[in-house]
Amino acid sequence: MPITFHPRSLTLPKLGMQLDPHRPCPFAFVSHGHADHFARHEKILCSVPTGHILRRRYSVAKDRLLLLDWEDQITTDGHHIQLFPAGHITGSAMIRIEHDGESLLYTGDFKTRASFTAESPVFPQADILAMETTFGLPHFVFPLTEKIHTNILTFAKEGLELGETPIFYAYSLGKAQEVYAILTRAKLPVVLNKSVYEMTQAVRETGINLAEPKLLGEAIPPGTIVIAPPNFGKTPLVKNLKAKRTAMLSGWALTSGAKYRYRVDTLFPLSDHADFPGLLEAVEKVAPKHIYTLHGSTREFATELRARGHDAWSIYGNDQLELFGKEELPNFTEGR
Ligand SMILES: [Zn+2]
């Protein structure tokens, strides 16, 4: 009897398990600590670092967590379950489930490139691949990581030299730590707003090598860079600050009009998701027989894969309009 998987609801009925469900359920796999992948489930299967982040971020009780180390495997009802690093943020995991010789890999959010704060991704072979396709359009090709880092550092250094406060807007978990690592490795002075500070401490506690963070007080110290979530831009502290330069870190930087939509001076295409070539690279490594796409450009990417000889379909059905078109930007929600 092959594996039973309902792609539309991301459910494995025989295990009574749902994958990253938005609503609380009895048993869920939570791929990582972003808010759009978490709900208050009765029992949560996750990686060890994600478990720590869930406890720190959402005060999840220890006895609700079923933690699985990267190298380990659990078997339940004849299903062999393993987690693999997804490279998205610290602790982010893909789940591989094998039953009667058939296997499923669910990626959650993932990235193929290396980063300072996420574990290096590992893509095991699987027969069925359920993958995220946030940046599943061919024009989403991010510049070289080194180039993005150089541009970020130049922006920050130039601002400091001009007596401006460089402010980087990033999700409090994930990209905030990544840009913090980029800036502090270059020995630049950084302060973190409270939510970024707390998540940076949580990430450090999982064993990721990051400098001891400094918490932003009531005033921004002169000659210092700030990292904060996007809503920080609406605070009087920033509004009253005359000499500043602001930047957003997002893969949507490659979309026209993004700078105006996000009301920042510049955008850097530093993403914690795979770009279009990265998505194709993942498919090649997993070498699946069937593919389901979810999030973002699901239909377009599935069409692209079918043109390349794969059996690939959007989990939302093929007639449904996509959530947003090529030139329309999504709201700045965490995790996208
Ligand atoms: Zn995410």
Side-chain angles (χ1 to χ4, degrees):
M1 187 79 180
I3 206 158
T4 314
F5 174 58
H6 296 168
R8 202 167 185 128
S9 58
L10 296 176
T11 303
L12 290 123
K14 289 205 173 139
L15 288 173
M17 181 202 278
Q18 292 186 58
L19 308 174
D20 280 337
H22 297 295
R23 298 213 178 105
C25 74
F27 183 36
F29 166 65
V30 172
S31 62
H32 63 288
H34 276 154
D36 58 343
H37 289 253
F38 173 76
R40 298 204 170 273
H41 312 296
E42 281 169 41
K43 199 85 192 170
I44 292 172
L45 171 67
C46 63
S47 73
V48 175
T50 292
H52 181 74
I53 288 167
L54 296 182
R55 293 193 68 201
R56 285 291 304 262
R57 194 169 205 206
Y58 307 109
S59 305
V60 174
K62 207 174 183 177
D63 61 2
R64 289 185 182 242
L65 297 172
L66 177 59
L67 302 176
L68 195 53
D69 262 321
W70 299 123
E71 300 81 20
D72 289 355
Q73 177 174 293
I74 48 168
T75 300
T76 167
D77 290 336
H79 293 70
H80 307 294
I81 301 174
Q82 262 185 295
L83 303 186
F84 294 86
H88 171 59
I89 62 166
T90 305
S92 64
M94 300 186 259
I95 186 169
R96 186 179 186 276
I97 302 162
E98 189 168 330
H99 177 68
D100 262 356
E102 192 179 45
S103 53
L104 162 78
L105 183 74
Y106 165 73
T107 63
D109 290 346
F110 74 93
K111 183 168 91 252
T112 46
R113 295 182 180 196
S115 68
F116 290 127
T117 55
E119 300 83 357
S120 297
V122 177
F123 295 91
Q125 193 282 322
D127 301 315
I128 306 165
L129 171 64
M131 67 186 296
E132 67 113 334
T133 56
T134 300
F135 293 113
L137 297 174
H139 74 275
F140 284 115
V141 182
F142 301 142
L144 287 175
T145 306
E146 295 74 20
K147 176 88 182 144
I148 302 170
H149 289 191
T150 304
N151 291 346
I152 286 171
L153 290 171
T154 303
F155 175 86
K157 285 176 187 168
E158 276 179 6
L160 292 174
E161 276 162 25
L162 291 168
E164 298 170 344
T165 297
I167 304 175
F168 288 94
Y169 296 124
Y171 313 126
S172 55
L173 172 64
K175 261 178 290 183
Q177 287 73 45
E178 194 62 22
V179 72
Y180 178 66
I182 295 165
L183 296 167
T184 51
R185 277 159 193 259
K187 307 276 183 250
L188 293 175
V190 184
V191 290
L192 307 177
N193 108 306
K194 191 165 178 280
S195 62
V196 172
Y197 176 87
E198 285 170 357
M199 284 303 99
T200 302
Q201 290 292 30
V203 165
R204 289 176 86 233
E205 286 156 9
T206 69
I208 299 291
N209 181 19
L210 288 171
E212 175 76 43
K214 289 195 181 74
L215 178 63
L216 170 65
E218 291 190 356
I220 300 170
T224 312
I225 302 160
V226 180
I227 304 173
N231 58 10
F232 183 70
K234 292 177 184 154
T235 61
L237 197 60
V238 176
K239 283 194 162 172
N240 298 333
L241 190 66
K242 295 231 162 45
K244 62 177 180 255
R245 51 169 59 193
T246 56
M248 178 85 85
L249 305 161
S250 172
W252 300 111
L254 298 185
T255 307
S256 62
K259 199 164 99 173
Y260 305 100
R261 167 73 189 265
Y262 295 134
R263 296 167 198 271
V264 287
D265 296 323
T266 194
L267 275 113
F268 295 107
L270 184 77
S271 180
D272 41 25
H273 290 265
D275 62 1
F276 185 80
L279 294 173
L280 292 175
E281 184 189 328
V283 170
E284 201 170 299
K285 284 181 172 161
V286 177
K289 295 185 185 111
H290 310 286
I291 302 166
Y292 297 105
T293 56
L294 55 143
H295 296 311
S297 308
T298 59
R299 192 170 45 134
E300 288 91 338
F301 194 71
T303 304
E304 176 76 36
L305 289 176
R306 287 199 302 278
R308 291 165 184 257
H310 295 282
D311 177 46
W313 303 96
S314 163
I315 67 160
Y316 309 111
N318 242 30
D319 299 317
Q320 188 201 309
L321 286 171
E322 289 300 316
L323 295 175
F324 39 84
K326 275 182 191 171
E327 298 306 328
E328 248 182 280
L329 288 165
N331 286 325
F332 199 89
T333 52
E334 185 181 70
R336 293 286 118 219

